[in-house]
Every structure is written in structure tokens, then in C-alpha cells.
Amino acid sequence: MPSASVQNYLKAIYQLQETCETVTTTALAQHLDISAASATNMIKKLARLKLVRHSPYHGVELSTAGEKMALEVIRHHRLIELFLAEALGVPWEAVHAEAEKIEHVISEDLEDRIADFLGDPGRDPHGDPIPTKTGFVERPAYQSLFDLNAGQSAVIRRVSDQNPDHLKHFFKLGLIPDATVDVVQREPFQGPLRVRVGSGSEHTLDETLARSIWVTLSATQKKLFKAKK
Amino acid sequence: MPSASVQNYLKAIYQLQETCETVTTTALAQHLDISAASATNMIKKLARLKLVRHSPYHGVELSTAGEKMALEVIRHHRLIELFLAEALGVPWEAVHAEAEKIEHVISEDLEDRIADFLGDPGRDPHGDPIPTKTGFVERPAYQSLFDLNAGQSAVIRRVSDQNPDHLKHFFKLGLIPDATVDVVQREPFQGPLRVRVGSGSEHTLDETLARSIWVTLSATQKKLFKAKK
DNA sequence: TCGCAAATTTAGTCGCGACTAAATTTTTTA
DNA sequence: TAAAAAATTTAGTCGCGACTAAATTTGCGA
Ligand SMILES: [Mn+2]
Ligand SMILES: [Mn+2]
Ligand SMILES: [Mn+2]
Ligand SMILES: [Mn+2]
């Protein structure tokens, strides 16, 4: 039974590993909003516990045990998010903060009951995959909405749950998992993006927002892409 | 936002005050399963925070602010117990341990949603009254099942949720709030008690068990009592 | 390749909430 | 009512997880 702190560190390292192969002390510190010295401290502790491999000055990497533990916390987190949304109607921009605390205090039995209640769901409200009890998790290769070109059409698969204000905005615009978006216009030089949501309203998204949304190209698009080749 | 420790101490003091007027350091320490020195330490901190009045060597008493805070935690605890039982089918002997941890991490908004979901309930699964949001709580004058005499009939109002094994046993025997019990036989000298549950099976309860069940005399009994006078 | 800036680690400290051992106060009992 | 016992507080320590300031290492640009 690792402390809530250890759990949060492992989760953070896991999440950072999803983008960068090796996680730096500074990245970890920034992600958790603590000092770099504190991060070093905990990294050394995690290394002592064989939950990470630490190459001093060069970064940190989860061990098999560490990754397993991270996935357990993430499973708790995402199940709780979905449960709060489904059972209690907690709005999707609020579930993350709530789950961030509850994830550390529920028993395995409660975890199982929640999973059962939800029918063993595969995704949390933001489209993030929920790891299985056995520690397996999907790693779908999505692309950022920001990387699309004008004229392309895509299906939203996941949105970042880090910023409640962004989430609220996305919800209002209908930018939620499974929604269809067409890139109407694309400004050059990392400029903003104009999208049509479903077959309805059009909205402008700046880089930060567009980078918080991950999509897959819709079927017709993929065909087109193949044809070009 | 007081720490979970502070919350647990306040709750413990509140619960001890329900029986003894003034709470001793030792009683508090035993209740929380910590050393007396640790209790003294925290008592001094709570006194500094104006949450208790401390008369050194003589005991501790909640201030108005301390009682209010205790009731907030207790409200969380009992709402969570009932919610886990109702929404997820967590058995009544398990809800207490689970709520003991979750009570410290839910937001006010989540508290409200849970209360709403449950229809603003008055009692937790063990029959304990749930304080209102405004800090009001019933203080019904029940009597212990152990204090009844042979021939008396009563309705169970509340059972102690402290011991999961006892709770499991009570449940198996049908000794739950609103059940009717008749005292069939009463051994002298604090001896065990024989009761009929509902109009069904008979069971024997020793002192500890019988003292964990609180009842009100059933209507007919009260009449009899009046008549005698 | 050298020097500098950035990243990282080390050293030392703090608050929290626990502990044990010892001192003190209160209560009980002979 | 004085001594013994019990309860309580004080004194000092510890692990945890944070911090700042200082030292060290790394890597990059001139
Ligand atoms: Mn967390
Ligand atoms: Mn999420
Ligand atoms: Mn608690
Ligand atoms: Mn209860």
C-alpha cells in the first residue's frame, strides 16, 4: 500500500512516458507542481522501492512493478470519473479533480463494484482508455486535431481532462468523444483552426485548444488518403 | 480545510461526548487507537485552533466551531455509507470502513449530489441520524437492548457500526433498524439475553452484542408502562 | 574545445502527526 | 492523610513529503 504521494508520482511518470520516452526530473516537477528537488527526492525513493529505474541526471523510467502500480491508480481514477458522471451527474469538467482524491482511498472491492455497476467500461468521460484489472491498457494512435489540414474530417476520440475551463468550453461546443469535426479553414504559421462540429455550428480553436483534442480521420478521409498513394 | 487527522479527532470527540459529558485524553486515545501523548498533542493543536476547550488534566470539549466541523464530517460519513449501500450494494458491515476514508476527500458539491441522489435521507444504514447541511442532528433517546426485561417488546432503531463481524451477525439474525424484537428470556447477573426477531426465530445475545443495539419500546409496551403508573 | 547556462542533485530545514520515555498532576486506596 | 497508582503532559525523536539555497553535472553554442 503505497502512499497517495507515491501513487501520484507513478501516475505522473506514466503519463509523461506516453509522450516522451524518458522522463526528466524537471518535467515531473512541473507536471506535479512541486520543486525539482522534491522530485529528485521522491525519484530516489521510488528507485529504492524498485518502482522506477533512475539514471541520475538523465531521467527516470517506470519498472514493470511501477507501471503496474501506475495502471492500478489510473484504473481507479477513470472508473471514478465515469461513475461520478453516470451515477451522480457530476459534470465532466469536475470529475477529474474529484477522482484525483478519491482514487487513493477506495478498496479493491469498491473498485470492482464500480466497474460492475458501469458494465466494465472501456473509456472514461474524456475518452481515455480504462486499464483492465490485469493491467492491460489500449494505446491507440490518435492524432491531434491541430495537425489536420483544411478539408479533413475526423472523429473526436479523446480530449485532455487537465483544464476544467477548456472542458466546459469543449462541452458547450459539442467537442466531445465520438463527435465528428470538419476542418473548415486552417490559418498558416500555427494559426487558429476553424471547425464545423457535426453538421452544425462552426467554431475557431487556437493551438492550445486544438492540441487538447485527439482524433482519428473519418472513414472517407482514410480512403482518400489511400487513393492518393 | 482541516486535515483528515483533525477531522477524525473532532469526530471522535463528538462521538465520545454523546455518552460522557467531558472527554478524557485516554478515552480519545483509545477510541482512535493512538498513544495518549499523541492525543494530548492534537488536543493542544485543536485548542489553538479554537475547535475545543481544553482543561489540562481534566478533559476536552468541542467548541461551537468544533462541533459544527465534526457534524460536517459525520454528515459526509453517513451519506457515503448510505450511498455505497444503495447505489453499489456494498454490504452494511463494509460501508463504515470505506466511508471512514472517503469522508475526507469529497467536495461540498459531491456531498450535495449524494444527498440529492438519496433524497435527503435522515438515517444511515445502521440507523444513525444524518446531520443536516446546516448542522442540526437528531439526538433520539434510545435505550440499549441489554436494558430490557423479559417479556418486553421493542423496535430496533440503531446498531453500532464499529464491529464488522457483529454487523454481519446482526444482519444474518435480522437485527436491523425497524425490526421488532421480543425479549423472551433474561438471565440474571448481566447474563445473556434471548430474543425473538419479528415473529420468527429466537437467538441468544451476550452483553456486548445486546449493548450494541438501541431500541424504543413498541407502542403496546409504552401503554402498559403508562398503565402501571 | 571551452565556458556558460540549464538541469539536476545535495544539503539542510520545516510542518505534520505519530512514537517512547520521563516528569507531573490527579485520584485512589490503605 | 500519605503513599501508590493512574492519568496526563512534557521532552525528545522519527518518517514523510514538501521547501530553499548551494553544489554539481550536463550539454550547447561560440
Ligand atoms: Mn491523485
Ligand atoms: Mn479523464
Ligand atoms: Mn475518517
Ligand atoms: Mn453508520
Side-chain angles (χ1 to χ4, degrees), chain B:
Chain B
M1 28 192 143
S3 69
S5 278
V6 165
Q7 291 179 19
N8 282 333
Y9 273 93
L10 292 174
K11 191 157 61 104
I13 296 169
Y14 183 93
Q15 280 161 1
L16 290 167
Q17 276 189 347
E18 293 192 314
T19 40
C20 18
E21 195 45 55
T22 173
V23 174
T24 66
T25 301
T26 308
L28 185 55
Q30 279 171 1
H31 192 85
L32 291 172
D33 196 28
I34 52 165
S35 72
S38 300
T40 300
N41 243 331
M42 181 58 91
I43 286 169
K44 288 169 78 175
K45 175 180 180 169
L46 296 176
R48 229 182 307 122
L49 294 171
K50 306 278 188 198
L51 297 171
V52 303
R53 280 178 296 278
H54 184 209
S55 162
Y57 291 101
H58 291 291
V60 71
E61 207 181 352
L62 288 178
S63 70
T64 308
E67 180 174 321
K68 197 172 165 222
M69 210 168 273
L71 287 173
E72 281 174 37
V73 184
I74 291 170
R75 176 173 166 83
H76 281 196
H77 183 99
R78 295 183 180 163
L79 282 173
I80 291 164
E81 280 192 350
L82 190 61
F83 179 71
L84 294 177
E86 297 276 311
L88 290 169
V90 177
W92 85 333
E93 73 272 10
V95 294
H96 178 76
E98 213 78 59
E100 201 61 52
K101 294 176 293 169
I102 301 177
E103 65 190 1
H104 308 292
V105 300
I106 64 170
S107 68
E108 286 303 288
D109 176 68
L110 195 50
E111 172 197 322
D112 295 344
R113 285 178 188 275
I114 292 171
D116 216 56
F117 174 93
L118 296 168
D120 272 311
R123 302 281 162 147
D124 83 2
H126 314 102
D128 281 303
I130 299 175
T132 64
K133 188 105 185 160
T134 54
F136 173 79
V137 64
E138 282 177 62
R139 286 282 213 107
Y142 299 143
Q143 56 185 310
S144 164
L145 178 56
F146 190 72
D147 295 333
L148 263 54
N149 296 314
Q152 286 192 300
S153 175
V155 176
I156 296 181
R157 295 303 176 186
R158 137 178 155 68
V159 303
S160 163
D161 64 2
Q162 297 298 309
N163 187 316
D165 293 326
H166 292 181
L167 278 178
K168 236 164 146 171
H169 189 233
F170 290 154
F171 193 82
K172 233 178 283 170
L173 269 46
L175 294 165
I176 61 176
D178 296 329
T180 303
V181 286
D182 301 305
V183 179
V184 174
Q185 198 185 340
R186 191 61 230 263
E187 296 295 334
F189 306 119
Q190 315 295 304
L193 202 71
R194 198 153 175 82
V195 297
R196 181 174 30 250
V197 183
S199 48
S201 53
E202 285 187 18
H203 305 285
T204 304
L205 300 173
D206 73 8
E207 176 168 359
T208 313
L209 289 181
R211 282 208 187 285
S212 306
I213 297 175
W214 282 265
V215 303
T216 52
L217 289 178
S218 50
T220 50
Q221 294 288 315
K222 283 186 213 156
K223 257 185 211 156
L224 271 171
F225 181 72
K226 261 191 185 163
K228 260 188 196 163
K229 272 201 303 193

Side-chain angles (χ1 to χ4, degrees), chain A residues 12-42:
Chain A
I13 296 170
Y14 183 92
Q15 281 161 0
L16 290 167
Q17 276 189 348
E18 292 192 314
T19 40
C20 19
E21 197 43 57
T22 171
V23 175
T24 66
T25 302
T26 307
L28 185 55
Q30 279 171 1
H31 192 86
L32 292 172
D33 196 27
I34 53 166
S35 72
S38 300
T40 300
N41 243 330
M42 180 58 91

Side-chain angles (χ1 to χ4, degrees), chain A residues 125-152:
Chain A
H126 314 102
D128 282 302
I130 299 175
T132 65
K133 189 103 183 162
T134 53
F136 173 81
V137 66
E138 282 177 63
R139 287 283 212 106
Y142 299 143
Q143 56 185 311
S144 164
L145 178 56
F146 190 71
D147 294 333
L148 264 53
N149 296 314
Q152 286 192 300

Side-chain angles (χ1 to χ4, degrees), chain A residues 15-181:
Chain A
Q15 281 161 0
L16 290 167
Q17 276 189 348
E18 292 192 314
T19 40
C20 19
E21 197 43 57
T22 171
V23 175
T24 66
T25 302
T26 307
L28 185 55
Q30 279 171 1
H31 192 86
L32 292 172
D33 196 27
I34 53 166
S35 72
S38 300
T40 300
N41 243 330
M42 180 58 91
I43 286 170
K44 288 169 78 175
K45 176 180 180 169
L46 296 177
R48 229 183 307 120
L49 295 171
K50 306 276 189 199
L51 297 171
V52 302
R53 280 178 295 278
H54 184 207
S55 161
Y57 291 102
H58 290 291
V60 70
E61 207 182 352
L62 289 177
S63 71
T64 308
E67 179 173 320
K68 198 173 164 220
M69 210 169 271
L71 287 172
E72 281 175 37
V73 184
I74 291 170
R75 177 172 165 85
H76 281 197
H77 184 98
R78 295 183 180 163
L79 282 173
I80 290 164
E81 281 192 349
L82 189 62
F83 179 71
L84 295 178
E86 297 276 311
L88 290 167
V90 177
W92 84 334
E93 73 271 11
V95 295
H96 178 77
E98 214 76 61
E100 201 62 52
K101 295 177 293 171
I102 302 176
E103 65 189 2
H104 308 292
V105 300
I106 65 170
S107 68
E108 286 303 289
D109 176 69
L110 195 50
E111 172 196 322
D112 295 344
R113 286 179 188 276
I114 292 171
D116 216 56
F117 174 93
L118 296 168
D120 272 312
R123 302 281 163 148
D124 83 0
H126 314 102
D128 282 302
I130 299 175
T132 65
K133 189 103 183 162
T134 53
F136 173 81
V137 66
E138 282 177 63
R139 287 283 212 106
Y142 299 143
Q143 56 185 311
S144 164
L145 178 56
F146 190 71
D147 294 333
L148 264 53
N149 296 314
Q152 286 192 300
S153 176
V155 177
I156 295 181
R157 295 304 175 185
R158 132 178 160 68
V159 302
S160 164
D161 64 1
Q162 297 298 309
N163 187 316
D165 292 326
H166 293 180
L167 279 178
K168 237 166 148 168
H169 188 234
F170 290 154
F171 193 81
K172 233 178 282 170
L173 268 45
L175 294 166
I176 60 175
D178 295 330
T180 303
V181 286

